[in-house]
Amino acid sequence: MRKTLAWVWLAVVLTAGLHVGIVLWRGLPLETGLMALLPAEEQDVDLQAAKTQMMTDLSQRVLVLVGHTDRAQARAAASRLFQDLKSAGVLTDAGDIPAAEALRRLGEAYFHHRHGLLSPADRQHLAEGQGTLLVRRALSQIYGVGGISNGKLLAEDPFLLLPSVLADLPVPASRLRWDDGWPTVSDSGTTWVLVSGKLTGNAYALSDQERFVTAYDSAVRAIPGVTALRLGTVFYAEAGARTAMDETSIIGTVSLVGASLLILVVFRSGGPLALSLLVLGGSMLVALSVCLLVFERIHAAALTFGSGLIGIAVDYSLHYFCQVFSGAASPKERLQHVMTGVVLGLLTTLVGYGALALSPLPGLRQVAVFSAAGLVGAFASVVLWLPPLDRAPARPLPSALRLFATGLWLFWEQPQWRGLRWGIGGILLAGAGWGLLHFTISDDVRRQQALDPTLATEQAQVQRLIGVEGSGQFFLVRAADTETALQQEERLGERLTALQAKGALGGWRSPARFVPSLQRQEENQRLVTTQLLEPHLVRFRAGIGMREAVGGGQANPSSPLTLADVTATQALPLLSGLILSEGRHMVALDTPRDLAALAAAAEGLEGVRFVDPTADLTDLLGLYRQRTLWLIGVSALLMTPVLLWRYGWKGAGMVLVPPGVAVLLTPLLLAAVGLPFSFFAAMALILVLSIGIDYALFCAEADGSRDPITVLATWLATLTTVLSFGLLAFSSVPAVRSFGAVMLVGILLAAGVAPVAGWVRPKR
């Protein structure tokens, strides 16, 4: 029967290998976006739609400033770069530079409905009874240098109100100026021309990232003598993916080489190494295949964390092969000797990964599935393959290894080591106490990711040159209909105008700033009639030599301007991006500086909510960090029935001591060296609990014999785990680094205290 199962398992592994090979041949569906790694949003559908649209727009946007000391060459280089990227099929027009025909349609739309349109400044003057100011302005525009000489325009719009409306349209405030159709800024003798566009692919898909960045690098190299400054999510995502893959490769290689050297040094034979690599290879193939079957795309973080599986997957084979030093001559006896510990260890570790699978983060759920499938694969390979393939002869335990393993047992039991035990314990407690005094929590999502320093420098330069900082904050306006939504935006706009004057933000864009509400248009027309046309029009026309009004000069009724009128021109794509649905609008912010004041601006306005996606995600991580700490307790409770069945109440408590010490002390010791506690650190504690119990179980299964082989196998497993998960502590990604630091310290603590569980006696 066992032989048949071994062949069946071989078929499963080969099938998994074929599946992985096919997927790799087609292209690994790797995802790198932070949003895919972060928790799912709350149940507010409108809010989720708004955040998704905002994040999608931001992630798809690409900005490049092309600089040269010669204006003509800068413009030529910008045009060539944009055309090369379009020809490569990686970039499309973002609509920032509308076509001449679209602008003509936009002008016609506003002109046909001009009677109800006023710029905020003109409206304020008329509301205060200062119509004479607009009369003087119109006269200065007519008679000044470069003045208006179009008689038809004056007949239709004698006080030139429409040009003020068009000039006040809320394009993003910046230092850029139009130069022969190109947004341009000059700085220190260099002319910078802005190239903007939208990705044709997904900014977070590895294949699209590589395709775009390759095309971009090639296009820039083909234009010598210019400086190009990049800004865009795709650049950060590609750099992050490249870093993650490099780190995964390094960690995997070091883990594999380190584990191999350990096996060779301890067993002094190639057989255990070859079979351990066979177990490892089978478990990794099964893990990756299962993960690809369960998830449509795999996150780069899952591979980075999952690379730590190398250190855990070899634990079972290490415990098995250490039995060659016990005198057990046959492979069957070796497996029988460790079977109980391996089964209990697998069950408790799977409980830990099961808790990890309950994480709200999709990326960590992938880690859980990847690692759990790999551990099951490692267990099956050890049980089914090693006994028939093992040819290692039994031999005595080398004296140096025996001295080390026996010494750890004696350290926890012999009276002469009591002083050292108290000394080490005192140092750890003192460090934990210092850490408690300096304990900090950091859930800020911005501090959980690494930004490429070169890209960050270029981003700062771009933002300084154009005078606009990107913002993910916005207001969500919800109302029963479009008219009500526009009215609420106008009320909000009055507050934002005051905040802008105080420097709280650079500017904002809302549908109401492009198209006033019907109520506002009626008020505007009434103000124009009573404060401008009736008291001033006749005298004004006589003064400029126009004998009579022609149609539009009077307050003739006309249909109001609507959002549909403006969006139909296709000249303002940014307006369409602010409209979610009927009565559901967004108010986008430029360079917000005082977030608290902006949040307060929404107070008292029905249906208006200030939204800060980054702050919301930070709050969400904080919430899930608290839940994760509860999850650690739940994991321990789920493990308890197995421990009670095997060891009873007292014994179960003793087995829980080593992982308990590790879970309690690790965050405090890391705080003592300045590392804050985060959601990712909390998630790592779940694995510390699971793996720590694994170590304690094997010591408990020694049944009081103080078997040095058990301690040897446990420490070999510890070292391989440290070589895998512990190396994550040196990652450039703060979230990964936090996870790895907890694993490094926690696993070492759990292994050091594990012999305490040797006082336990299993039930017979």
Side-chain angles (χ1 to χ4, degrees), residues 241-595:
R242 186 168 9 96
T243 299
M245 295 179 68
D246 290 345
E247 289 184 353
T248 299
S249 177
I250 293 172
I251 291 172
T253 300
V254 173
S255 299
L256 184 60
V257 171
S260 299
L261 289 176
L262 276 175
I263 294 173
L264 285 175
V265 168
V266 171
F267 299 105
R268 301 178 184 179
S269 171
L273 174 60
L275 292 180
S276 295
L277 291 177
L278 177 65
V279 170
L280 178 60
S283 64
M284 294 294 285
L285 285 176
V286 170
L288 187 54
S289 178
V290 170
C291 211
L292 289 169
L293 289 173
V294 174
F295 301 101
E296 182 178 351
R297 307 184 70 85
I298 297 182
H299 200 281
L303 293 183
T304 301
F305 286 120
S307 63
L309 175 64
I310 293 175
I312 301 177
V314 298
D315 287 1
Y316 303 146
S317 58
L318 287 174
H319 279 283
Y320 171 87
F321 282 116
C322 276
Q323 293 305 309
V324 301
F325 301 123
S326 68
S330 71
K332 183 177 180 180
E333 292 176 343
R334 296 169 187 171
L335 180 61
Q336 185 177 3
H337 192 82
V338 300
M339 190 64 174
T340 302
V342 169
V343 170
L344 292 175
L346 175 65
L347 291 176
T348 53
T349 305
L350 287 180
V351 168
Y353 280 118
L356 196 64
L358 297 177
S359 162
L361 274 70
L364 289 185
R365 288 202 297 268
Q366 291 184 15
V367 173
V369 171
F370 185 95
S371 300
L375 288 177
V376 172
F379 173 81
S381 299
V382 167
V383 172
L384 297 176
W385 287 351
L386 292 193
L389 297 176
D390 179 18
R391 299 292 184 270
R395 60 178 185 271
L397 181 64
S399 56
L401 294 179
R402 179 179 293 277
L403 180 63
F404 164 76
T406 304
L408 195 58
W409 283 115
L410 296 176
F411 171 80
W412 285 102
E413 294 185 351
Q414 296 298 318
Q416 61 264 35
W417 297 109
R418 182 178 301 162
L420 183 58
R421 289 198 298 269
W422 280 103
I424 294 176
I427 293 174
L428 291 176
L429 289 177
W434 179 260
L436 183 61
L437 294 175
H438 297 82
F439 189 79
T440 58
I441 295 174
S442 176
D443 295 313
D444 192 337
V445 69
R446 292 166 297 187
R447 297 181 180 178
Q448 307 303 327
Q449 52 186 325
L451 297 180
D452 184 277
T454 301
L455 291 174
T457 300
E458 292 188 23
Q459 174 179 325
Q461 290 180 275
V462 171
Q463 292 176 342
R464 180 186 65 82
L465 288 169
I466 67 177
V468 172
E469 296 180 13
S471 166
Q473 294 86 12
F474 61 94
F475 288 93
L476 175 64
V477 180
R478 289 183 279 196
D481 50 50
T482 297
E483 171 65 12
T484 306
L486 293 175
Q487 292 179 18
Q488 289 294 75
E489 291 164 32
E490 289 165 348
R491 296 186 182 97
L492 174 65
E494 295 172 358
R495 301 181 181 186
L496 295 182
T497 298
L499 290 176
Q500 186 178 21
K502 296 177 181 178
L505 79 161
W508 79 96
R509 283 156 284 134
S510 69
R513 292 196 67 187
F514 293 96
V515 179
S517 66
L518 301 182
Q519 182 185 65
R520 176 63 58 88
Q521 292 186 55
E522 291 174 359
E523 293 174 356
N524 287 343
Q525 188 162 346
R526 184 167 56 253
L527 283 172
V528 171
T529 300
T530 59
Q531 300 296 322
L532 199 59
L533 297 181
E534 291 178 351
H536 302 292
L537 180 60
V538 174
R539 187 184 309 165
F540 177 82
R541 285 187 178 280
I544 63 175
M546 297 191 72
R547 296 182 180 177
E548 59 181 277
V550 182
Q554 302 292 338
N556 296 329
S558 64
S559 60
L561 182 69
T562 66
L563 286 173
D565 294 328
V566 177
T567 55
T569 67
Q570 299 181 346
L572 294 172
L574 53 87
L575 172 59
S576 300
L578 299 176
I579 302 173
L580 299 173
S581 61
E582 175 71 17
R584 303 295 192 270
H585 297 169
M586 294 194 314
V587 178
L589 304 176
D590 295 326
T591 318
R593 301 184 183 93
D594 189 340
L595 298 185

Side-chain angles (χ1 to χ4, degrees), residues 14-35:
L14 292 177
T15 302
L18 179 62
H19 174 223
V20 171
I22 293 174
V23 171
L24 292 177
W25 178 70
R26 293 176 177 174
L28 184 66
L30 191 65
E31 193 164 30
T32 61
L34 180 63
M35 294 304 297

Side-chain angles (χ1 to χ4, degrees), residues 32 99 121 128 196 298 337 408 574 607 618-619 694 713 716:
T32 61
E128 295 174 354
S196 63
I298 297 182
H337 192 82
L408 195 58
L574 53 87
T618 296
D619 292 342
D694 198 9
L716 288 177

Side-chain angles (χ1 to χ4, degrees), residues 163-175:
S164 295
V165 172
L166 296 176
D168 195 66
L169 290 180
V171 295
S174 72
R175 296 177 58 201

Side-chain angles (χ1 to χ4, degrees), residues 659-697:
V661 169
V663 168
L664 291 174
L665 292 185
T666 297
L668 300 178
L669 292 175
L670 292 176
V673 296
L675 292 180
F677 190 69
S678 68
F679 168 79
F680 298 94
M683 295 305 298
L685 287 179
I686 293 181
L687 296 189
V688 169
L689 173 68
S690 301
I691 298 172
I693 282 187
D694 198 9
Y695 297 159
L697 283 170

